[in-house]
Amino acid sequence: MKITNLGTRDYASFYVACELYKQMSQQCHSKLGLATGGTMIEVYKFLVDLLKKNKLDVSQIETFNLDEYVGLDANHGQSYHTYMNNVLFKRYPHFNLSLLHVPNGNAVDLDEETKRYEYLINQQGPVDIQILGIGENGHIGFNEPGTDVNSATHIVNLTESTINANSRYFENEAEVPKQAISMGLSTILKAQRIILLAFGEKKREAIEKLAENEVNSEVPATILHAHPNVEIYVDDDAAPRLK
Ligand code: GLP
């Protein structure tokens, strides 16, 4: 598994935006696996710039988001639906809305929703490029430590560590949803190519564990060791310390 330090958040984000842009421009039916979180903000900013400058036709691009909080209305300020609209879909309003998929965390029947989402990815996939951030505890998507390596899209009980880390986006910790719907680890591994990004000192420990470990369910990101086409880009602060 190759971990590359690209120095700064800006360099790494621009590189990944270019890779996404290249995929979309070379294959107009591309399927992208999208992630949310602070890590991805600059990636989408650079991607929107590239799309606008080149007026790329994205009408046949299909996207699948990794996850969504349970119990938040799609229009809630902190839902991942809102995040995607704000960072990408509304800023480059030429996507076909029926091809933009985010799990519905407000579905009446959540089990049914997990099955629907997994089926959709299997039907329409495989995803060409899946981008991933990483949680401080090594989670990918919302797959918390202990998640079954064979898991499909499922409902997750968020750990204290994740609730605490994500409380920075909410008024207070009590407002952070306690559950989420997430692509499973096996769902993520179905992508053809996976690019994980990590920035900042708080992510260094997770990246070091990822670098050192074989597949270990206590650090869910280590499942990526089982995938043949994974790239990891970090900034100076998240780069693993050399032994
Ligand atoms: C969140 C999301 C992940 C994200 C990770 C890191 O909880 N579910 O998809 O990659 O945790 O978030 P951030 O980029 O804000 O640090």
Side-chain angles (χ1 to χ4, degrees):
M1 174 179 293
K2 189 91 187 128
I3 299 179
T4 306
N5 179 358
L6 290 180
T8 68
R9 171 187 283 254
D10 262 10
Y11 285 146
S13 301
F14 185 63
Y15 177 76
V16 174
C18 288
E19 290 300 290
L20 291 172
Y21 179 81
K22 204 167 71 184
Q23 173 69 44
M24 294 159 97
S25 64
Q26 287 173 349
Q27 169 55 263
C28 65
H29 292 97
S30 288
K31 322 274 179 193
L32 302 179
L34 300 179
T36 53
T39 307
M40 297 298 159
I41 294 282
E42 274 80 17
V43 174
Y44 294 123
K45 187 190 85 176
F46 287 123
L47 180 60
V48 168
D49 287 348
L50 290 167
L51 293 171
K52 283 182 174 168
K53 278 188 213 303
N54 296 285
K55 297 190 172 52
L56 189 73
D57 176 7
V58 294
S59 60
Q60 296 175 83
I61 299 288
E62 186 156 21
T63 68
F64 300 89
N65 264 79
L66 277 170
D67 47 18
E68 177 59 289
Y69 289 112
V70 164
L72 292 192
D73 187 80
N75 295 319
H76 185 282
Q78 293 306 328
S79 79
Y80 288 163
H81 280 80
T82 298
Y83 174 105
M84 289 311 304
N85 285 332
N86 290 343
V87 300
L88 180 60
F89 302 146
K90 280 189 181 159
R91 296 192 56 219
Y92 191 69
H94 306 288
F95 289 92
N96 177 342
L97 297 185
S98 69
L99 298 178
L100 309 177
H101 312 292
V102 182
N104 177 7
N106 227 2
V108 177
D109 186 336
L110 287 168
D111 276 341
E112 201 49 49
E113 174 61 6
T114 61
K115 292 191 187 104
R116 182 195 71 81
Y117 202 67
E118 185 73 18
Y119 180 79
L120 185 70
I121 294 169
N122 287 334
Q123 284 293 303
Q124 304 300 109
V127 161
D128 295 296
I129 300 183
Q130 173 69 59
I131 55 171
L132 293 176
I134 187 168
E136 290 170 30
N137 62 4
H139 75 228
I140 50 175
F142 264 130
N143 292 288
E144 298 282 31
T147 303
D148 185 346
V149 294
N150 296 311
S151 52
T153 301
H154 63 300
I155 303 298
V156 175
N157 293 322
L158 300 179
T159 61
E160 276 309 308
S161 153
T162 298
I163 290 171
N164 179 270
N166 288 8
S167 65
R168 69 190 191 277
Y169 300 118
F170 291 80
E171 295 269 308
N172 55 60
E173 199 166 315
E175 284 196 13
V176 185
K178 306 291 178 284
Q179 287 187 312
I181 179 167
S182 178
M183 279 189 202
L185 294 173
S186 82
T187 325
I188 292 171
L189 289 193
K190 286 177 189 159
Q192 308 272 56
R193 178 182 177 195
I194 298 178
I195 302 177
L196 184 145
L197 277 175
F199 304 134
E201 178 72 39
K202 285 187 171 170
K203 301 292 173 74
R204 176 181 273 157
E205 198 179 323
I207 293 296
E208 285 178 342
K209 285 184 182 158
L210 177 56
E212 287 162 13
N213 285 318
E214 291 305 307
V215 177
N216 159 14
S217 69
E218 284 315 302
V219 184
T222 58
I223 191 72
L224 299 177
H225 288 291
H227 192 282
N229 195 11
V230 177
E231 297 142 73
I232 299 175
Y233 299 106
V234 299
D235 66 0
D236 286 332
D237 292 337
R241 283 162 289 218
L242 297 173
K243 289 269 158 61

